[in-house]
Amino acid sequence: MIKTSPIQNFVSKLPNTGTTIFSLMSQMAQENSAINLAQGFPDFGMSEELISLVHKYMLKGFNQYAPMPGLLSLREKISVLAADHYGYTPNPSDEVTITCGATEACYLAVTAVVKAGDEVILFEPAFDCYATAIELCGAKPVYIQMHYPHYTIDWQKVREKITEKTRMIILNTPHNPTGSVISLHDIHELQSILAGKELFILSDEVYEHIIFDKLVHESVLRYEDLRQKSFVISSLGKSFHCTGWRIGYCIAPAHLTKEFRKVHQHNTFSVHTPTQYALAEYMEQKDHCRDLSIFFQKKRDKFLHLLAKSRFDFFPARGSYFQLASYKNISEEADIEFVTRITKEFKVAVIPVSPFYHDKRDEKIVRFCFAKKDETLEKAAEQLCKI
Ligand code: GLN
């Protein structure tokens, strides 16, 4: 008989990481036949023309590996998009890389430059993939909290937290999960803090084209001193309503892109080929991203109008397709309990915000995704108003 011997004394490399709240809530929504305003993805259709283009390129035989950094024609379109929006033209050959979603790009940027013992500053609530990458490098996440309702960055705290070990700052604007955006004042603070420092920026800008009330997206690409230190990450899945296609990208100076691609080539190597051909052709036609803010602002306004009759409190999101709300007037339950109950009883799934704080602090806030058909928003709001 073969003796099995379980590995003794195994210590998890990620003892504080559970299953991501996005998977948990989508599963809970499904099990309870609830409307899913939890995980961030549209429930409306995407461009059928873009779908046909993928099919066309599949039939044409573009079904083998794409070039490791991504299809050059797609990188060229991304470069033009950056130039049109931010007045900076990254070199498509050595400053733009296509990745398997923005999540891969975040992982690559961190692992390419962060070493064991380094510190990385991030602002909480923080999207949950950053800390995992930092910890896998043997580095330390250094958290600075932002608070309801405006979630602004306390730059004095940033000054205090920077040490000789600080290697990177992670920015996210428009911000997930809060819908806040960075202002020009924030950029100036960042510039003055980083002047003369050997410190990288990871700037997660996946909602760059979804910003409201005539605010301007302060991409770090606009600022030469910042972009020289930055990995700027974005997502065509967000901009073209196809999150399942997993097409992200990273813009970074050539010497950083070189390091980034060293990890990418031994991670996914390359990304789905026909999709890249299709997006390159589709993006050639016109700037499809120009109208996104208007499109989503209508959804935000509609949703907030409907929610005004509820007992939730909120301040309108300034960007992204997420809206936060406080349920303090409704219940004292912990946010995880609250979202579990409303999924089961009221058939609407939402995201609790405590999982985005390392200490799981519970400020009684939940996140709604409003990237949904109007009828979905109406049905969900009708339920939410009963709570
Ligand atoms: N970005 C999506 C959200 O915030 C989730 C992505 C994921 O599930 N990994 O809801």
Side-chain angles (χ1 to χ4, degrees):
M1 209 172 76
I2 299 168
K3 263 197 185 170
T4 59
S5 57
I7 293 176
Q8 300 290 329
N9 305 321
F10 172 69
V11 180
S12 169
K13 289 181 76 178
L14 297 168
N16 305 317
T17 307
T19 302
T20 172
I21 193 68
F22 304 114
S23 301
L24 295 178
M25 291 315 301
S26 276
Q27 193 184 338
M28 199 187 290
Q30 216 163 24
E31 285 167 2
N32 290 281
S33 309
I35 299 171
N36 191 350
L37 300 192
Q39 196 177 24
F41 60 86
D43 75 340
F44 44 82
M46 57 171 298
S47 158
E48 289 188 6
E49 187 191 347
L50 184 47
I51 293 172
S52 303
L53 286 172
V54 177
H55 191 217
K56 177 178 101 176
Y57 283 105
M58 284 178 157
L59 290 175
K60 272 188 160 186
F62 293 96
N63 297 306
Q64 308 310 328
Y65 297 121
M68 181 273 280
L71 203 68
L72 183 59
S73 56
L74 179 58
R75 287 183 276 140
E76 283 166 354
K77 301 302 171 311
I78 288 168
S79 173
V80 169
L81 194 67
D84 287 350
H85 287 258
Y86 312 123
Y88 170 65
T89 313
N91 184 339
S93 69
D94 58 6
E95 295 187 326
V96 183
T97 309
I98 313 292
T99 58
C100 180
T103 300
E104 189 207 353
C106 291
Y107 182 79
L108 301 183
V110 172
T111 48
V113 298
V114 172
K115 299 187 178 116
D118 285 349
E119 293 177 358
V120 178
I121 292 182
L122 60 168
F123 302 99
E124 289 189 316
F127 190 64
D128 60 355
C129 77
Y130 312 137
T132 304
I134 296 164
E135 284 171 3
L136 284 173
C137 293
K140 184 178 158 205
V142 174
Y143 299 101
I144 296 177
Q145 278 80 35
M146 306 186 292
H147 299 285
Y148 184 80
H150 299 305
Y151 295 95
T152 47
I153 294 174
D154 181 341
W155 292 103
Q156 189 45 39
K157 280 214 179 110
V158 179
R159 286 190 176 84
E160 288 161 17
K161 295 269 184 182
I162 289 183
T163 70
E164 278 162 18
K165 291 183 182 164
T166 311
R167 187 87 171 161
M168 179 182 263
I169 292 192
I170 300 185
L171 298 177
N172 176 206
T173 186
H175 187 262
N176 181 7
T178 71
S180 63
V181 303
I182 278 177
S183 68
L184 187 57
H185 164 78
D186 294 314
I187 293 286
H188 288 155
E189 290 278 18
L190 187 64
Q191 286 176 314
S192 92
I193 289 173
L194 296 190
K197 289 211 171 62
E198 293 282 312
L199 229 155
F200 299 105
I201 301 169
L202 187 169
S203 189
D204 175 350
E205 303 183 10
V206 300
Y207 300 100
E208 61 182 323
H209 301 299
I210 310 176
I211 184 155
F212 310 132
D213 307 323
K214 301 208 165 66
L215 290 164
V216 170
H217 172 56
E218 289 294 354
S219 174
V220 302
L221 289 176
R222 293 179 190 273
Y223 304 96
E224 194 189 348
D225 54 341
L226 297 180
R227 70 173 176 257
Q228 281 172 353
K229 310 171 181 230
S230 295
F231 296 90
V232 180
I233 290 168
S234 194
S235 158
L236 297 179
K238 302 286 185 302
S239 300
F240 294 95
H241 313 312
C242 49
T243 61
W245 286 13
R246 313 304 295 130
I247 303 275
Y249 61 88
C250 174
I251 297 175
H255 65 293
L256 298 186
T257 292
K258 190 172 156 207
E259 298 305 309
F260 183 91
R261 289 181 184 172
K262 284 182 191 174
V263 193
H264 173 63
Q265 67 181 350
H266 294 308
N267 189 333
T268 55
F269 178 72
S270 67
V271 175
H272 197 255
T273 307
T275 302
Q276 293 190 64
Y277 276 97
L279 280 161
E281 184 173 331
Y282 191 65
M283 289 170 78
E284 174 81 42
Q285 302 167 354
K286 67 166 194 164
D287 183 352
H288 298 273
C289 301
R290 283 273 168 212
D291 304 331
L292 266 193
S293 292
I294 296 171
F295 174 78
F296 279 114
Q297 185 167 327
K298 277 197 195 128
K299 298 232 171 259
R300 179 202 66 173
D301 291 347
K302 179 174 182 75
F303 184 58
L304 291 188
H305 178 72
L306 293 165
L307 214 58
K309 297 181 203 95
S310 76
R311 292 198 288 156
F312 287 96
D313 281 329
F314 50 80
F315 287 81
R318 299 181 142 184
S320 81
Y321 43 55
F322 302 116
Q323 175 65 49
L324 290 193
S326 163
Y327 64 90
K328 263 198 184 122
N329 288 337
I330 300 177
S331 160
E332 292 192 342
E333 287 158 287
D335 63 359
I336 308 259
E337 281 167 33
F338 179 72
V339 303
T340 304
R341 183 169 68 81
I342 70 168
T343 307
K344 291 186 174 149
E345 282 180 23
F346 294 91
K347 305 291 178 199
V348 182
V350 303
I351 294 281
V353 171
S354 69
F356 302 105
Y357 287 101
H358 73 287
D359 59 5
K360 311 293 172 226
R361 71 181 59 193
D362 177 8
E363 298 187 332
K364 314 271 180 249
I365 311 288
V366 292
R367 189 197 78 172
F368 303 101
C369 171
F370 55 81
K372 304 292 167 189
K373 293 178 205 148
D374 285 358
E375 64 183 85
T376 308
L377 295 176
E378 281 157 17
K379 277 190 201 145
E382 195 184 323
Q383 291 303 101
L384 293 168
C385 287
K386 291 181 190 160
I387 303 173

